[in-house]
Amino acid sequence: MRYIFTLFMILLYANSVNAQNTITGIVKDEESLVTIPGVTVSIKSKATAVQTNAVGQYSIVAAAGDTLTFTFIGYQPQDIVVGNQSQIDVFLVSDDNALEEVVVIGYGTARKRDLTGSITQIKGEDIVDRPGTNPIANLQGKVPGLQVTNSGRPGQEPDIRIRGTNSINGAKPLYVVDGLLNDNINFLNPSDIESMEVLRDPSSLAIFGVRGANGVIAITTKRAKSGQLNFEFNTRVGMKNVAKRMNMANAAQFKELYDEQRANQGDAPYNYSNWTGNTDWQDEIFRNAILNYNNLSVSGATERNSFRLGLGYSTDEGIINHEKHSQITLNINDEVRLTDNFKTGIVINGYRARLPQERNVFGSILAAPIAPIFNDQYGLYHTLPDFQRAQVNNPLVDIEERKNTYIGINYRALANWYAEVDFLEHFNFRVNLSADYGFNNLRTYQGLVSVYNPDIQGEDKSERIGNQLTSVNHEQNTHYKYQTDWLLNYRNTFGKHNLTLMGGFTTYLQGNEATTARRTQGEGIEIPNDPDYWYVNIGDPATTTGNSTASEYRTLSWLARALYNYDGRYLINTSFRRDGSSAFAKNGKPWQNFYSIGAAWVLSEEGFMQNVESINNLKLKGSWASLGNQNVGGNWYPMYPLMVPGNSAVFGDNLVPAYEAEYIPDANLHWEVVKSWEAGFEFNAIQNKLSVEAVYYNKNTEDILVRVPGILGSKPGLSNLGTIQNKGIEAAATWQQSLSENWNLSIGANITTIKNNVVKLSTDGYDIISGASRTVAGFPIGYFWGYVHDGIFQNQSEINQYATNGLGGGAFLPGDIKYRDIDNNGVINTQDRTMIGNPTPDFFYGISLSSSYKNFDLGIEFQGVHGNEILRTWNQNQFATFNFLTDRLGRWNGEGTSNWEPILHEGRSVNRQYSTYFIEDGSFFRIRDITLGYSFPSETLNKMRLQNLRLFLNAQNVATFSKNTGFTPEIGGSTTSFGVDNGTYPVPAIYTFGLNLNF
């Protein structure tokens, strides 16, 4: 009997094993037939789950009778009972597509259909395959209203502006990472990002109070999906190079131009006997650089706990030798649901980066090509000719002789603990406690460098250049942020009335400490070129200097928000925030109020629209808000001016130094205020294949902190006097189409127009000038101010028609630039300066094309900017003769020879005045990104025991069509001086190969 029972159990077990089948299939949208990646496929009542891959395929082991559940945001869940089939294809029903998608709105979330403003969501999967350690760099051209100006320098933070430049004091947006407010996200690994929301409209920004005026980029990191343990690995390796070179003269062309210049100046012919090189310095400086990004994550979840760990390591070489950025990132998410209505969790981010040594060698591209590179006899790099060696070095000296003399290491740790409880059916209370701590350690060594100089008489032709004593600079700084949020939420439905309320308070503390020190070698004692000795110790006070600073800033804020909709047709969004700031405790007015209201009318839900089957959604929307801006260039305490040296006094034989306040603050000083409004519409049609969104926006930054000039030598004041306006149109459209069962196509485009105007600054005529960049009332911020190039004086009779002071010394001579007489008084002088360019574009845009055919996917992105100008200053020769642009071959060298390029003559300073001669068209069109991928089919993955495997090729910045002479038309800068090309780091073309692996 025992044997019979044993045999029965074996047969029963074998039958149950045989009942386990591998189910494969593909998940698509029911209407468009587009495959859906990321769909969670789980087995009810079991801790087993997988996700569809990039082309919508899945594979799961299930038994007959099991129920498969297919879930994805924006679609209705679907259950299917497993029979004896091995393939189950699923068509999910759209729940109004993206309209049901949940987006971050600041201190909470909301359905996209309930929004009254402009928020764009970018999925992490849309940027993860792109090269770059800063995720914001890859939003370029993707989001209307978001202007991203990238730098090619590895690890460099891009210049970000949302809906224009709002203030003379700062335009940087606020970053919110899992609820923690921050001013940068250099610590964040793009592979750890679930989604990013770009908040631009007034109704969503007012809840951030004094930090919302410049826009907000909210980032949510990845969480574990419900189901079995999942490992994900992705890696990329690539190469980058400088796609665009500057057109510089070669040795023969240089000699032709320089000989003519010396003849024009009355100088003797130059002796080239020691200068027989023909060097292309761009070839010598630039290299093909390598990059490599690696990311590994493990995640798993049960009904009560979800955990994810992400680890990343990347190396990114610069296009200059010995320039390298490397970083390690760590992301931990752990959430525990202790009861059905209470959960708690923690998010931890860690970061360590080794920063590259930045070299300003691009000015050295102007080195004379007649100089050789290296002297083999002496084993030294060659110096440059005497007419430029005082201002320009052989670039290889900086690159090779001063290599590895910099150590820059950044550490960052961020933690966010939260707890959330649901109670009384409609209430929810959430608390967040966050901390951010960073430590930077920078050390620089300045050694002794010698070069070969053939002009030295005698046998020893080595010459020491640069500093004559070794020295060490050491800098350490720490910064810290602490934030707490205490939020109560209420959500309920009363018939057709839907109400969501949020209220609470938040605290924020931010501070930093910095110490710098320098040690110069003592008498005859060199500091070794060894990092072990690159410290500043206590020694001779004459050779050791130092300084330290510290600051701390606090805010306390009360906030409230209400979202209401009636029957899904009429929407209202209103918010209020009251910010208290330690910056204004001195004047007793630390509190400011900020508020907003937004409304929308969903016409498509009205009865008279129900018969219009082609329209799926039509919404009219608008919002208004009063926003705050405390981003004032790092000056957290404008009421507390720094002390600066004043007039000293003499008491007997003693000279007593005096100090006085840098400025006199207004007694009613407060943070800047932005009054902003927008109005527009959203439109979805033809079974949601077409989606269009457009708004008109108008932003007035009022009460800008501006210096008030002192009277009769008195100290300047600081008051809330300035006003700047930005207005324009944002529009985006997308078309998604299934061309066949296996072929899907998506086309998207967006465009943003900007019109910037400084309405008021301080007193009449008050301006801010930096070079040719000028900010004054009545003009765009930071516009270029100078003379209009109106041809070349061909002869003396043309010059005699003007009375002039020479504009820089001496009278005009034939061959000089003729500047336009703007005021038509027959005199060319400083009164003829006018607006010669605007660095703010008229509009910028992006275009995206994506398609998938079976297991292949292809994405192409284009990006462009139009209507802005660039000021070229890198060849505005002041104190030396540099190499020439090849354009100078068309110079004036006699009557009728040129009407644009002036005569070759270093003494004619009149030709170096800021004018349209140095203005270039900043418009460009770029093939921004091309990605080709292949996802292995389910059958192959099952044999390899993998969930997903995708290989891809990516090319970035493939081609840029522009008219500027520099390496790139992308040029950032400060709020009042941007678009100035003084030797901007090239934005390289990048080519990568990678794979995404799930198992």
Side-chain angles (χ1 to χ4, degrees):
M1 185 68 180
R2 182 176 60 183
Y3 297 106
I4 295 175
F5 177 79
T6 301
L7 180 61
F8 174 79
M9 293 301 297
I10 292 174
L11 292 174
L12 182 63
Y13 175 78
N15 185 62
S16 66
V17 171
N18 291 334
Q20 295 284 332
N21 295 319
T22 298
I23 309 298
T24 62
I26 189 167
V27 181
K28 297 182 179 182
D29 182 286
E30 184 184 55
E31 294 181 349
S32 66
L33 299 181
V34 174
T35 58
I36 309 174
V39 176
T40 299
V41 185
S42 59
I43 302 176
K44 274 194 173 182
S45 302
K46 294 184 180 180
T48 302
V50 297
Q51 284 189 309
T52 57
N53 62 17
V55 290
Q57 298 171 334
Y58 75 93
S59 175
I60 192 170
V61 176
D66 283 343
T67 299
L68 298 182
T69 300
F70 298 81
T71 57
F72 189 69
I73 293 177
Y75 290 85
Q76 299 175 8
Q78 188 173 150
D79 291 339
I80 296 179
V81 178
V82 177
N84 58 3
Q85 69 268 55
S86 61
Q87 180 171 343
I88 300 176
D89 293 333
V90 178
F91 298 88
L92 293 184
V93 178
S94 171
D95 196 358
D96 282 340
N97 281 336
L99 299 178
E100 295 296 325
E101 197 167 285
V102 175
V103 297
V104 174
I105 58 173
Y107 302 99
T109 59
R111 294 185 308 171
K112 184 172 176 59
R113 67 158 53 249
D114 294 334
L115 298 178
T116 61
S118 303
I119 298 178
T120 300
Q121 184 182 74
I122 302 295
K123 296 290 187 181
E125 62 200 39
D126 294 333
I127 62 170
V128 70
D129 293 338
R130 292 358 182 218
T133 55
N134 192 302
I136 304 300
N138 290 314
L139 295 186
Q140 194 174 51
K142 286 181 171 292
V143 180
L146 177 66
Q147 187 178 3
V148 180
T149 302
N150 283 325
S151 169
R153 193 183 297 276
Q156 187 80 33
E157 185 178 359
D159 184 5
I160 307 295
R161 307 191 187 199
I162 297 178
R163 291 184 174 178
T165 306
N166 302 313
S167 171
I168 63 173
N169 297 306
K172 199 172 185 179
L174 171 67
Y175 299 100
V176 182
V177 181
D178 293 323
L180 175 60
L181 278 58
N182 229 308
D183 54 4
N184 71 76
I185 54 169
N186 297 336
F187 61 89
L188 202 56
N189 186 340
S191 294
D192 292 327
I193 292 177
E194 180 70 28
S195 66
M196 292 190 288
E197 276 87 5
V198 181
L199 285 65
R200 311 182 300 280
D201 70 284
S203 61
S204 62
L205 294 175
I207 199 68
F208 294 99
V210 295
R211 305 190 68 171
N214 291 332
V216 173
I217 300 177
I219 299 171
T220 303
T221 57
K222 289 182 178 178
R223 305 290 192 269
K225 303 295 192 298
S226 177
Q228 63 189 27
L229 196 65
N230 180 66
F231 291 88
E232 181 178 354
F233 175 72
N234 62 71
T235 183
R236 284 157 286 166
V237 63
M239 181 271 292
K240 56 184 177 180
N241 58 36
V242 180
K244 180 184 179 183
R245 303 289 182 94
M246 291 196 292
N247 296 322
M248 307 302 297
N250 59 29
Q253 293 168 333
F254 177 85
K255 290 178 181 179
E256 174 190 345
L257 296 173
Y258 188 53
D259 287 344
E260 182 177 315
Q261 176 180 304
R262 293 183 68 89
N264 292 337
Q265 296 169 177
D267 298 331
Y270 193 74
N271 182 5
Y272 294 104
S273 58
N274 291 327
W275 310 98
T276 57
N278 186 15
T279 304
D280 186 331
W281 292 109
Q282 295 180 82
D283 285 344
E284 301 302 323
I285 292 173
F286 298 137
R287 64 167 177 174
N288 291 333
I290 304 299
L291 58 89
N292 178 223
Y293 305 142
N294 303 281
N295 301 282
L296 176 66
S297 69
V298 56
S299 62
T302 64
E303 291 184 2
R304 292 295 185 187
N305 178 246
S306 64
F307 175 83
R308 182 185 182 276
L309 168 67
L311 183 65
Y313 174 72
S314 67
T315 60
D316 190 357
E317 293 181 345
I319 51 164
I320 301 172
N321 206 16
H322 309 299
E323 188 179 57
K324 181 179 178 180
H325 178 276
S326 62
Q327 70 179 36
I328 299 173
T329 60
L330 173 70
N331 174 259
I332 298 175
N333 278 283
D334 189 17
E335 182 176 280
V336 179
R337 183 170 289 277
L338 299 176
T339 67
D340 291 340
N341 65 334
F342 179 72
K343 64 180 180 181
T344 183
I346 189 168
V347 182
I348 298 174
N349 284 287
Y351 165 83
R352 180 191 185 274
R354 185 90 180 226
L355 307 180
Q357 182 173 358
E358 295 186 6
R359 301 178 181 89
N360 187 22
V361 300
F362 297 107
S364 299
I365 291 172
L366 301 176
I370 59 176
I373 301 169
F374 194 81
N375 182 272
D376 294 321
Q377 178 183 354
Y378 283 79
L380 296 173
Y381 282 99
H382 210 288
T383 189
L384 298 179
D386 56 359
F387 54 76
Q388 64 175 194
R389 72 171 62 120
Q391 285 75 36
V392 183
N393 285 330
N394 180 332
L396 275 300
V397 171
D398 288 323
I399 294 173
E400 298 297 338
E401 292 297 312
R402 296 188 172 108
K403 67 183 178 183
N404 302 326
T405 56
Y406 172 82
I407 297 175
I409 301 178
N410 287 0
Y411 299 91
R412 195 91 173 264
L414 303 92
N416 174 32
W417 173 84
Y418 62 91
E420 189 173 323
V421 59
D422 299 321
F423 63 99
L424 297 179
E425 187 176 359
H426 302 294
F427 287 89
N428 168 275
F429 180 74
R430 181 182 176 95
V431 58
N432 293 291
L433 306 178
S434 305
D436 176 1
Y437 181 83
F439 174 74
N440 303 324
N441 186 16
L442 311 174
R443 289 186 283 156
T444 305
Y445 172 74
Q446 293 178 325
L448 305 180
V449 176
S450 296
V451 296
Y452 172 77
N453 186 349
D455 293 338
I456 296 177
Q457 301 299 317
E459 294 185 3
D460 186 4
K461 297 184 181 298
S462 64
E463 178 184 36
R464 183 171 292 177
I465 63 171
N467 49 291
Q468 302 300 303
L469 297 172
T470 58
S471 63
V472 171
N473 290 278
H474 192 186
E475 177 181 348
Q476 291 184 342
N477 64 75
T478 60
H479 57 87
Y480 50 90
K481 306 178 184 74
Y482 303 107
Q483 177 182 323
T484 70
D485 304 319
W486 312 82
L487 306 173
L488 178 65
N489 297 277
Y490 172 82
R491 178 174 295 175
N492 201 356
T493 300
F494 311 92
K496 295 183 178 182
H497 302 274
N498 300 279
L499 180 64
T500 300
L501 302 176
M502 184 274 292
F505 70 95
T506 176
T507 67
Y508 195 84
L509 182 148
Q510 179 173 351
N512 63 58
E513 300 176 359
T515 301
T516 60
R518 176 182 175 87
R519 177 165 66 98
T520 305
Q521 75 176 61
E523 190 69 29
I525 304 174
E526 292 187 12
I527 301 173
N529 188 4
D530 184 339
D532 290 342
Y533 297 91
W534 295 352
Y535 294 94
V536 178
N537 54 11
I538 300 175
D540 184 356
T543 64
T544 304
T545 58
N547 186 37
S548 65
T549 60
S551 61
E552 195 170 84
Y553 169 67
R554 298 176 176 87
T555 59
L556 169 64
S557 307
W558 299 93
L559 57 155
R561 179 175 55 221
L563 302 176
Y564 169 80
N565 80 70
Y566 175 77
D567 198 24
R569 290 182 289 169
Y570 312 114
L571 315 176
I572 295 178
N573 178 356
T574 183
S575 63
F576 173 82
R577 177 160 175 155
R578 181 171 172 81
D579 279 315
S581 169
S582 61
F584 301 106
K586 183 177 180 180
N587 66 357
K589 299 180 179 179
W591 294 95
Q592 284 181 257
N593 298 329
F594 304 96
Y595 32 83
S596 72
I597 184 161
W601 179 22
V602 185
L603 277 77
S604 54
E605 294 296 319
E606 297 290 353
F608 60 83
M609 294 288 293
Q610 297 306 304
N611 294 327
V612 186
E613 296 181 357
S614 60
I615 296 178
N616 304 104
N617 176 59
L618 176 59
K619 179 197 295 184
L620 302 181
K621 60 182 182 178
S623 60
W624 177 93
S626 173
L627 313 170
N629 180 30
Q630 70 171 28
N631 188 1
V632 290
N635 185 7
W636 293 337
Y637 286 88
M639 280 299 300
Y640 301 79
L642 295 175
M643 303 302 291
V644 296
N647 296 321
S648 300
V650 177
F651 293 91
D653 295 331
N654 298 320
L655 177 65
V656 180
Y659 292 89
E660 58 186 357
E662 183 182 4
Y663 55 82
I664 302 172
D666 191 314
N668 296 311
L669 213 61
H670 55 268
W671 292 128
E672 300 174 356
V673 176
V674 175
K675 300 294 179 62
S676 176
W677 65 273
E678 73 169 27
F681 69 90
E682 297 176 15
F683 179 69
N684 294 67
I686 316 175
Q687 297 178 333
N688 289 305
K689 295 177 181 178
L690 173 66
S691 62
V692 179
E693 184 173 357
V695 297
Y696 172 84
Y697 66 90
N698 189 304
K699 299 172 65 176
N700 285 280
T701 306
E702 302 173 353
D703 298 343
I704 295 176
L705 292 168
V706 181
R707 295 287 180 96
V708 181
I711 301 175
L712 299 177
S714 64
K715 300 302 294 182
L718 183 68
S719 295
N720 297 101
L721 295 177
T723 301
I724 293 177
Q725 183 184 68
N726 287 279
K727 58 184 178 180
I729 295 174
E730 292 177 357
T734 303
W735 176 271
Q736 293 181 330
Q737 174 79 46
S738 178
L739 303 177
S740 68
E741 183 178 354
N742 296 313
W743 187 9
N744 305 304
L745 177 67
S746 177
I747 302 173
N750 68 82
I751 187 171
T752 302
T753 69
I754 301 177
K755 185 176 181 181
N756 175 275
N757 182 52
V758 178
V759 179
K760 182 176 64 172
L761 273 186
S762 179
T763 56
D764 290 342
Y766 176 81
D767 58 6
I768 300 171
I769 297 178
S770 175
S773 299
R774 186 186 191 214
T775 300
V776 68
F779 292 88
I781 190 170
Y783 78 94
F784 300 133
W785 189 47
Y787 302 95
V788 176
H789 186 305
D790 207 22
I792 301 294
F793 284 116
Q794 301 296 325
N795 49 54
Q796 189 61 41
S797 63
E798 291 186 6
I799 297 173
N800 293 339
Q801 298 176 23
Y802 293 90
T804 178
N805 61 5
L807 297 180
F812 283 111
L813 294 172
D816 288 340
I817 297 175
K818 176 170 56 177
Y819 298 119
R820 184 172 300 170
D821 183 12
I822 297 297
D823 54 12
N824 293 316
N825 65 353
V827 177
I828 300 177
N829 55 27
T830 56
Q831 300 304 310
D832 293 309
R833 286 177 293 183
T834 187
M835 179 175 172
I836 58 175
N838 183 5
T840 299
D842 294 334
F843 62 88
F844 54 90
Y845 57 95
I847 303 171
S848 63
L849 305 173
S850 63
S851 179
S852 64
Y853 180 75
K854 293 186 177 179
N855 295 84
F856 289 92
D857 60 271
L858 173 67
I860 304 175
E861 295 178 2
F862 306 92
Q863 173 232 348
V865 173
H866 181 79
N868 62 304
E869 281 78 38
I870 294 171
L871 174 67
R872 182 185 73 247
T873 62
W874 52 264
N875 69 336
Q876 195 181 10
N877 312 8
Q878 295 289 341
F879 307 109
T881 295
F882 299 153
N883 193 12
F884 305 94
L885 279 169
T886 54
D887 291 348
R888 294 294 274 148
L889 293 170
R891 77 285 184 192
W892 185 93
N893 60 352
E895 189 168 346
T897 53
S898 175
N899 205 35
W900 182 260
E901 291 291 338
I903 188 173
L904 293 164
H905 196 300
E906 282 299 303
R908 307 280 187 90
S909 59
V910 66
N911 296 318
R912 294 195 294 269
Q913 301 297 309
Y914 290 117
S915 72
T916 51
Y917 177 73
F918 295 103
I919 295 294
E920 300 178 345
D921 187 354
S923 304
F924 69 90
F925 175 78
R926 172 176 291 159
I927 303 176
R928 166 68 179 157
D929 193 276
I930 302 175
T931 302
L932 176 63
Y934 176 77
S935 298
F936 284 75
S938 300
E939 297 80 4
T940 305
L941 295 174
N942 291 334
K943 295 177 182 179
M944 300 170 66
R945 297 186 177 182
L946 299 176
Q947 292 186 23
N948 180 43
L949 175 59
R950 178 174 178 267
L951 306 179
F952 64 88
L953 294 170
N954 178 268
Q956 195 171 92
N957 306 323
V958 180
T960 301
F961 304 93
S962 64
K963 298 179 180 179
N964 69 302
T965 56
F967 293 116
T968 175
E970 279 193 87
I971 303 171
S974 67
T975 53
T976 57
S977 180
F978 55 102
V980 179
D981 188 357
N982 55 7
T984 305
Y985 197 103
V987 175
I990 307 175
Y991 306 91
T992 58
F993 166 77
L995 65 86
N996 300 326
L997 175 65
N998 287 78
F999 56 95

